[in-house]
Amino acid sequence: MASANSQNDIVIVGAGIIGLYVALALAQRGHGRSISVLAEYLPGDTAVAYTSPWAGCNFSAISGTDANAIRWDKAGYEFLRGIEATVGDKSFVKRTPSTEMWDDVVPHDKIKAMSEYLENFRIIPSEKLPKGVVFAVSFTTVTINAPKFMEYLHARLQNEYGVRFQRQKIDHIASAFTPSTRIVFNCTGNAARSLGGVEDPKCYPTRGQVVLVRAPSVKRNMMRHGLDHETYIIPRPGTSGHVILGGYMQKGNNDGSTYKSETESILERTRGLSKDLRAGQLEILATVAGMRPSREGGARIEREQRAVHGQQRALVHNYGAGGTGFQAGFGMALEAVQHVEDVLATLDTARTPARL
Ligand SMILES: Cc1cc2nc3c(=O)[nH]c(=O)nc-3n(C[C@H](O)[C@H](O)[C@H](O)COP(=O)(O)OP(=O)(O)OC[C@H]3O[C@@H](n4cnc5c(N)ncnc54)[C@H](O)[C@@H]3O)c2cc1C
């Protein structure tokens, strides 16, 4: 039976990149006016408990080696390239040359899978590798100005698709269901560990400190997967030469403070990696720390049925994106949406043309 079209048919809890991608995947299928996004923090906000604005951010081989990660990455890369090609600078996504290096364990099978779709993919000959590096590739990545890209998606979801955003903190996932709600998407990131009705003990934060600098000579994305550190240089699209330098992957660490010793280590490691950074002027603009929403076993994309308001309703979990919410998140969103095809088919939603 079709329900009367209501803005609360679909409720998305969370307005980080994961909630925004789910809203976009649904809106592109014509469900924009059936969606309310509820979140304590919205695009434009900054808070330690809101991970997305702190992301570097790029597409890289830092993601997991499992079949899910490989599939989500591919969908994410295609999506981001499509956004860049159709929207251009206003999306704050940019195709950028990238070099990625490994000092130790090289995920060859995964790199092979990526080589089949990454633009301009090349293996760098071993005689050209810097000291300590055992394998390296170059390709065209997508770099993303994370806070600006979120603001772009936020505006587009509201203005083009009629998605409603509401600032609200909930204590229990059941509170997201109004009497007319048919589906709730749980996109609460790190909060999935403590949110009532979810309380997933597999979730944990992975802290990263980054340094935002102005270094206009840097045009290339560089990453080095070291023995003890992840080191990366990411030029930020749509800025006057801003570059993110990182970083750290500190499992289980929820400390939002920043540390001078870490800033110094980041500057030393990134200068060692890039002659452009060594050659040009470098002005430190900010030092920040963010918590990647990690999860043992990888992200959870799963549907369950909950009895609410005397009805069985669909609850779709989509959290635990770790360090790859921007690159893999659109693939995750498509999969989360597939879990409720049966319910979506019953919604009486005015269709709008599907566009990128
Ligand atoms: C330093 C750093 C570098 C990174 N670099 C990259 C990169 O290069 N590429 C990449 O792909 N990813 C990168 N990431 C990872 C990426 O940022 C995360 O995977 C992503 O931001 C996770 O998004 P999320 O929507 O799950 O969580 P969040 O952004 O934290 O959003 C959670 C949302 O849920 C809401 N919420 C939570 N609890 C409640 C509640 N009880 N009631 C109401 N609302 C609630 C919050 O208010 C918020 O809106 C990086 C992360 C960090 C920290």
Side-chain angles (χ1 to χ4, degrees):
M1 190 181 72
S3 67
N5 185 21
S6 142
Q7 189 88 58
N8 286 318
D9 282 349
I10 304 169
V11 174
I12 298 170
V13 186
I17 193 60
I18 297 300
L20 296 174
Y21 276 153
V22 170
L24 185 64
L26 289 163
Q28 286 177 337
R29 296 175 47 159
H31 298 294
R33 292 185 189 283
S34 300
I35 303 171
S36 285
V37 179
L38 302 186
E40 182 180 11
Y41 298 109
L42 296 167
D45 294 344
T46 48
V48 171
Y50 191 25
T51 304
S52 297
W54 308 120
C57 167
N58 69 1
F59 180 99
S60 77
I62 207 167
S63 49
T65 51
D66 56 292
N68 283 344
I70 289 171
R71 198 172 61 252
W72 297 333
D73 276 350
K74 181 169 191 261
Y77 184 74
E78 282 167 7
F79 165 77
L80 288 164
R81 273 205 319 173
I83 281 265
E84 198 257 3
T86 53
V87 180
D89 292 350
K90 285 190 194 139
S91 66
F92 293 89
V93 175
K94 192 168 191 293
R95 286 162 67 252
T96 307
S98 183
T99 302
E100 207 160 327
M101 306 174 216
W102 286 263
D103 288 2
D104 189 16
V105 180
V106 185
H108 283 292
D109 288 348
K110 178 192 151 144
I111 292 168
K112 183 171 181 305
M114 288 180 147
S115 72
E116 285 159 18
Y117 63 85
L118 289 176
E119 201 184 337
N120 298 319
F121 179 87
R122 305 259 184 289
I123 294 174
I124 298 176
S126 54
E127 64 273 16
K128 292 197 172 163
L129 299 182
K131 193 161 169 261
V133 171
V134 298
F135 185 77
V137 298
S138 65
F139 59 95
T140 301
T141 189
V142 275
T143 52
I144 305 156
N145 182 331
K148 291 289 182 191
F149 178 54
M150 292 171 70
E151 286 176 30
Y152 156 75
L153 290 177
H154 185 212
R156 179 163 164 200
L157 286 165
Q158 292 178 103
N159 303 337
E160 189 175 331
Y161 294 112
V163 174
R164 186 173 68 159
F165 284 79
Q166 191 178 325
R167 188 182 295 279
Q168 187 184 337
K169 181 173 184 186
I170 58 169
D171 295 328
H172 196 286
I173 196 67
S175 332
F177 287 90
T178 71
S180 66
T181 301
R182 308 290 304 283
I183 311 164
V184 166
F185 288 89
N186 169 24
C187 307
T188 49
N190 277 313
R193 189 179 170 95
S194 55
L195 178 61
V198 182
E199 293 149 316
D200 185 342
K202 291 183 179 171
C203 294
Y204 62 92
T206 300
R207 179 181 175 277
Q209 178 164 318
V210 294
V211 185
L212 177 67
V213 300
R214 192 192 314 277
S217 54
V218 174
K219 307 285 181 211
R220 172 173 280 272
N221 189 95
M222 297 197 76
M223 296 196 76
R224 182 163 175 173
H225 308 287
L227 297 174
D228 304 317
H229 290 110
E230 290 291 341
T231 302
Y232 51 88
I233 299 170
I234 308 176
R236 252 194 173 172
T239 63
S240 53
H242 293 191
V243 182
I244 291 280
L245 307 179
Y248 285 89
M249 300 283 275
Q250 296 162 335
K251 190 173 170 177
N253 186 337
N254 202 25
D255 181 0
S257 310
T258 58
Y259 296 93
K260 191 164 171 262
S261 58
E262 295 190 348
T263 299
E264 284 167 358
S265 168
I266 289 168
L267 291 174
E268 187 189 326
R269 283 184 277 134
T270 51
R271 279 189 172 123
L273 204 56
S274 162
K275 64 176 173 2
D276 297 333
L277 205 56
R278 289 193 295 273
Q281 294 282 336
L282 186 153
E283 178 193 352
I284 296 182
L285 302 173
T287 309
V288 298
M291 314 304 149
R292 302 170 181 91
S294 304
R295 183 173 181 268
E296 301 293 349
R300 180 183 184 197
I301 302 182
E302 191 179 354
R303 171 178 173 173
E304 57 173 294
Q305 292 296 111
R306 288 276 172 113
V308 270
H309 303 294
Q311 305 276 346
Q312 284 294 316
R313 296 298 190 213
L315 170 62
V316 183
H317 300 284
N318 184 2
Y319 59 80
T324 60
F326 284 82
Q327 75 174 56
F330 194 74
M332 292 166 64
L334 293 177
E335 205 155 305
V337 169
Q338 272 173 14
H339 281 292
V340 281
E341 292 289 1
D342 57 328
V343 188
L344 292 173
T346 68
L347 296 184
D348 181 23
T349 304
R351 300 232 154 231
T352 48
R355 289 168 47 185
L356 245 187

